[in-house]
Amino acid sequence: MLKDKRQRIMLIPSGMPVLMYIASDEIELLRIGTMTYLNTNNTFGAGGHDLDEFDNSSLKSGFLFAADNVKIAQKSTPGKFGCLEGELGAPIGTITAGSEAGFFGNISNIVQYDCEPIPMGFWFDIVPGAAQIISSITGKPEYYDIEIIKPESSTEFVIRMTDKKLLALTDGFLEGMSGSPIIQNGKLIGALRTAIYQDPRIGTAIYINEMFMSHLGTINNILHKNKEETKKK
């Protein structure tokens, strides 16, 4: 009964390419990534992981932009990740928080989606075998075949790129694809985190329930902080 109730959480899988401007007290960055999901209250999750050069939890301000004219700047090879690049497009939202699971915030402009809300899956929904990843390496979200290999830890699992078209275009997962949503059996189950350095056709993905719970945690932290600041006034 508990599983059924959890699976009623509905999210819109995205795969939209985005540029994220993020700033802390020490550093400012503009990074291309992928929006993972949009909630029905116009909040979003993107990225799927912490950045090497930026502590996501140190975020002070952030803005989300559409990425226009997205293209593959370089293919992946063993020992070297390829990457996507895109031009700064229209502002579409604000980034309000970050964690080891990605960046989260609010959509302020209307974003067109081809997908309808689907159930959020949990770790116990995932089975080894065929699945699909939504990515925008051609500039618009498309579904590509992947294989789920095995659980890697309590928070992530291992996937392999199997789609012939995607392999021909990329030779493996690229920087900028992080956050790409993963679908299996009609459920949103995860998001791409990173590729394996020695073989970029293999990658790790975060369980979507872990990403979503981290999202809720950042919202609670913001509400608590605002409450404490109000008390001081």
Side-chain angles (χ1 to χ4, degrees):
M1 188 67 179
L2 182 58
K3 292 182 181 181
D4 291 338
K5 288 183 179 179
R6 285 179 174 177
Q7 290 173 356
R8 290 173 190 160
I9 298 172
M10 305 294 284
L11 299 172
I12 301 170
S14 174
M16 178 183 180
V18 292
L19 284 164
M20 297 177 285
Y21 166 81
I22 48 178
S24 67
D25 290 333
E26 292 80 27
I27 190 172
E28 297 180 18
L29 293 174
L30 184 66
R31 285 289 182 269
I32 190 168
T34 302
M35 185 187 296
T36 307
Y37 62 81
L38 181 70
N39 206 349
T40 51
N41 61 0
N42 282 340
T43 59
F44 71 87
H49 67 92
D50 210 349
L51 299 179
D52 292 336
E53 68 274 46
F54 189 92
D55 177 6
N56 290 14
S57 62
S58 69
L59 180 80
K60 293 297 183 181
S61 63
F63 299 94
L64 190 72
F65 299 86
D68 293 342
N69 300 318
V70 174
K71 62 181 181 180
I72 299 168
Q74 184 176 353
K75 289 185 174 184
S76 287
T77 58
K80 188 174 183 179
F81 299 139
C83 60
L84 295 175
E85 64 180 19
E87 299 173 1
L88 192 67
I92 56 175
T94 55
I95 301 171
T96 57
S99 75
E100 72 286 348
F103 291 100
F104 312 100
N106 304 304
I107 295 294
S108 55
N109 289 345
I110 296 174
V111 179
Q112 297 295 325
Y113 289 93
D114 295 330
C115 298
E116 295 294 325
I118 62 174
M120 180 181 77
F122 286 77
W123 62 268
F124 48 73
D125 293 310
I126 299 174
V127 294
Q132 289 187 306
I133 190 168
I134 307 175
S135 185
S136 298
I137 59 170
T138 60
K140 62 179 182 178
E142 293 188 46
Y143 286 76
Y144 299 99
D145 293 331
I146 61 169
E147 177 190 4
I148 296 174
I149 301 175
K150 63 176 182 177
E152 178 70 9
S153 68
S154 60
T155 60
E156 61 183 20
F157 56 100
V158 181
I159 61 175
R160 178 187 288 115
M161 185 183 292
T162 59
D163 194 286
K164 292 181 179 179
K165 178 182 176 181
L166 187 57
L167 283 166
L169 289 169
T170 65
D171 284 338
F173 296 110
L174 308 173
E175 292 181 353
M177 289 179 68
S178 296
S180 297
I182 297 170
I183 313 295
Q184 188 182 54
N185 296 327
K187 298 183 180 71
L188 176 58
I189 59 166
L192 176 67
R193 297 193 98 163
T194 187
I196 302 300
Y197 187 70
Q198 297 85 351
D199 186 354
R201 296 170 299 177
I202 298 174
T204 60
I206 185 172
Y207 294 117
I208 202 66
N209 60 288
E210 290 290 332
M211 187 174 180
F212 187 71
M213 290 306 294
S214 183
H215 186 173
L216 294 181
T218 62
I219 292 174
N220 289 335
N221 290 340
I222 291 171
L223 292 175
H224 177 73
K225 181 179 178 180
N226 291 343
K227 184 177 180 180
E228 291 300 312
E229 290 178 350
T230 301
K231 286 182 180 180
K232 293 177 182 179
K233 294 180 180 179

